[in-house]
Amino acid sequence: MAAAGASISSQPFLKGRRSDGGFGLGFSPSDLGGLSSPAVVQICLRRLPHPARRLEVKAIGNVFGNYFKVATYGESHGGGVGCTISGCPPRLPLSEDDMQAELDRRRPGQSRITTPRKETDTCKILSGISEGMTTGTPIHVFVPNTDQRSHDYSEMSIAYRPSHADATYDFKYGIRSVQGGGRSSARETIGRVAAGAVAKKILRIKSGVEILAYVSQVHKVVLPDGVIDYDSVTVDQIESNIVRCPDPEYAQKMIDAIDAVRVKGDSVGGVVTCIARNVPRGLGSPVFDKLEAEFAKAMMSLPATRGVEFGSGFSGALMMGSQHNDEFYTDENGVIRTRTNRSGGIQGGISNGETIYMRVCFKPTSTIGKKQNTVTRNREETELLARGRHDPCVLPRAVPMVEAMAALVLVDQLMAQIAQCEMFPINLDLQRSVGEPINGSVKVPSESYPSV
């Protein structure tokens, strides 16, 4: 039997081409009909050439949001920068002026404590708008670059700037845009700020949400806790000085601190505080998609950020639970509130209706006018004296960037909340905004649903 099996394994039909054109087991049942049932059949399987597979690498990293999606594009010294917004609701009144007001706050050359690069950052909406209203289709925004000086970056094409993205971009891609840092430049944030202006308008019209940010620390100049009232601070107070600190006394101290390093060709970092008032209750989700987790990703995606904290932040580690807990009470309008707000308006990853506040830490600007040790792309040690026009402190121009990212998170979460939790009748007495009075007695959730 063994001999019979061996002879069978060597038969050509086991190695032949099948009727379908493939290779392998090319026999039919009739081919084995003449074999006695006890015969041992040895079948040899071999790996055969496979048609070429198409490999797709999805390493995008340029899109933010789930329902309100924003894709930014462009490089610092390319033809221009901008964004494409998908998911914007139709019938929203929108014009280029809405975006321009925010872009003017972000643009360079505003004062002596920002980069002297002269850009008007004039935006142009190329799609998604008809007769002053959004159409529900993608909105394309373009901002041209008009003041490029690529020759300022000739040294940086050879040597890596310390603590900048020059080296890591090269490690990852094997090629980089040496003029102004390409995508690692803060000019990428133009698209974010333009999209943030749209998000702000949606939030204001739909829910009355107001988002404000201001500089609360520059280097060692720290605005003390309690100086700024989160419930009453205004945009006019913030915009009243070039550093965007709402307290005049500390604003001047911050300006002096930036001036001191600016004339030496050095830089400093600091902290931007962001508040969001009148945020609807219920935004955010448990577990992985907590509201503060979404905020953290948004803020940490901004250039030069190094940390973010909410409410009491790290100082909460110094308190006991009895000191830190925000006790509940019912206010004069019958609305459930918290007496304190150490949670920063977020509990369990979900907004509770109180003012959301967070602090975002920014490091000193990497590109400075002082000689530093570094290496070339060929791994040779050298010294680098960077040229070009750079902010001695990113904080004043970071304020509108932080506001924009906060708005993008909130509008995305608002859309998610409407999509999931407003499909069926809701308990308005629990989910109405803080400050909105309740008419009549409080209902329990079951009373909100019609009887079946």
Side-chain angles (χ1 to χ4, degrees), residues 32-74:
L32 299 178
L35 297 176
S36 59
S37 58
V40 176
V41 179
Q42 295 181 352
I43 299 175
C44 299
L45 299 178
R46 69 170 184 261
R47 187 177 297 277
L48 299 168
H50 192 284
R53 291 185 176 91
R54 296 183 61 185
L55 300 179
E56 295 183 10
V57 180
K58 296 183 179 179
I60 302 174
N62 300 303
V63 181
F64 183 84
N66 297 303
Y67 300 88
F68 189 91
K69 287 180 176 287
V70 179
T72 68
Y73 65 87

Side-chain angles (χ1 to χ4, degrees), residues 127-168:
S127 69
I129 306 292
S130 178
E131 297 181 352
M133 303 283 280
T134 57
T135 62
T137 56
I139 300 171
H140 184 192
V141 184
F142 175 69
V143 175
N145 292 328
T146 59
D147 190 22
Q148 305 101 314
R149 294 184 188 175
S150 300
H151 60 274
D152 285 345
Y153 299 87
S154 56
E155 299 95 340
M156 300 173 201
S157 64
I158 302 172
Y160 299 130
R161 288 172 289 180
S163 286
H164 206 281
D166 296 344
T168 52

Side-chain angles (χ1 to χ4, degrees), residues 95-340:
S95 69
E96 289 156 348
D97 290 342
D98 292 315
M99 298 180 183
Q100 197 61 54
E102 296 295 329
L103 291 174
D104 287 345
R105 299 173 65 212
R106 195 226 68 95
R107 68 176 176 81
Q110 297 180 42
S111 69
R112 69 178 186 274
I113 63 173
T114 63
T115 171
R117 178 171 175 169
K118 299 297 182 183
E119 294 278 3
T120 60
D121 285 352
T122 303
C123 68
K124 181 69 175 176
I125 299 177
L126 302 180
S127 69
I129 306 292
S130 178
E131 297 181 352
M133 303 283 280
T134 57
T135 62
T137 56
I139 300 171
H140 184 192
V141 184
F142 175 69
V143 175
N145 292 328
T146 59
D147 190 22
Q148 305 101 314
R149 294 184 188 175
S150 300
H151 60 274
D152 285 345
Y153 299 87
S154 56
E155 299 95 340
M156 300 173 201
S157 64
I158 302 172
Y160 299 130
R161 288 172 289 180
S163 286
H164 206 281
D166 296 344
T168 52
Y169 270 50
D170 215 356
F171 298 161
K172 179 175 178 64
Y173 298 109
I175 187 173
R176 64 187 179 92
S177 175
V178 298
Q179 293 83 14
R183 288 287 284 171
S184 67
S185 168
R187 281 197 70 72
E188 177 273 333
T189 63
I190 284 177
R192 305 178 189 224
V193 173
V198 182
K200 276 186 173 183
K201 190 162 190 177
I202 295 172
L203 291 166
R204 185 171 63 252
I205 293 174
K206 177 65 178 177
S207 302
V209 175
E210 185 179 19
I211 300 172
L212 296 173
Y214 60 87
V215 177
S216 55
Q217 179 177 344
V218 169
H219 197 38
K220 297 179 180 180
V221 180
V222 183
L223 191 62
D225 291 338
V227 172
I228 303 301
D229 183 355
Y230 295 156
D231 294 328
S232 62
V233 64
T234 66
V235 66
D236 290 338
Q237 291 174 319
I238 296 170
E239 295 294 323
S240 65
N241 54 75
I242 59 177
V243 77
R244 293 199 166 97
C245 173
D247 183 85
E249 178 185 352
Y250 278 87
Q252 189 56 54
K253 292 179 180 179
M254 293 175 182
I255 294 170
D256 293 341
I258 297 174
D259 277 334
V261 299
R262 177 179 60 85
V263 296
K264 298 176 182 178
D266 218 329
S267 64
V268 290
V271 175
V272 169
T273 295
C274 181
I275 61 176
R277 298 191 287 233
N278 204 39
V279 175
R281 301 168 188 246
L283 302 193
S285 302
V287 195
F288 298 114
D289 296 332
K290 286 178 163 59
L291 185 56
E292 61 263 57
E294 298 299 309
F295 276 129
K297 177 180 179 178
M299 298 306 165
M300 292 302 293
S301 73
L302 286 168
T305 50
R306 279 298 173 269
V308 59
E309 59 180 11
F310 304 87
S312 61
F314 282 94
S315 65
L318 304 175
M319 302 179 185
M320 293 180 289
S322 57
Q323 298 171 312
H324 189 271
N325 288 345
D326 296 318
E327 295 183 343
F328 291 106
Y329 76 103
T330 303
D331 69 9
E332 63 275 11
N333 293 319
V335 179
I336 297 175
R337 302 285 305 276
T338 61
R339 294 190 184 279
T340 53

Side-chain angles (χ1 to χ4, degrees), residues 423-444:
M423 290 288 288
F424 300 102
I426 60 177
N427 188 336
L428 291 175
D429 290 341
L430 290 178
Q431 295 176 314
R432 68 181 70 246
S433 297
V434 169
E436 186 178 355
I438 292 178
N439 298 318
S441 61
V442 176
K443 299 177 180 178
V444 297

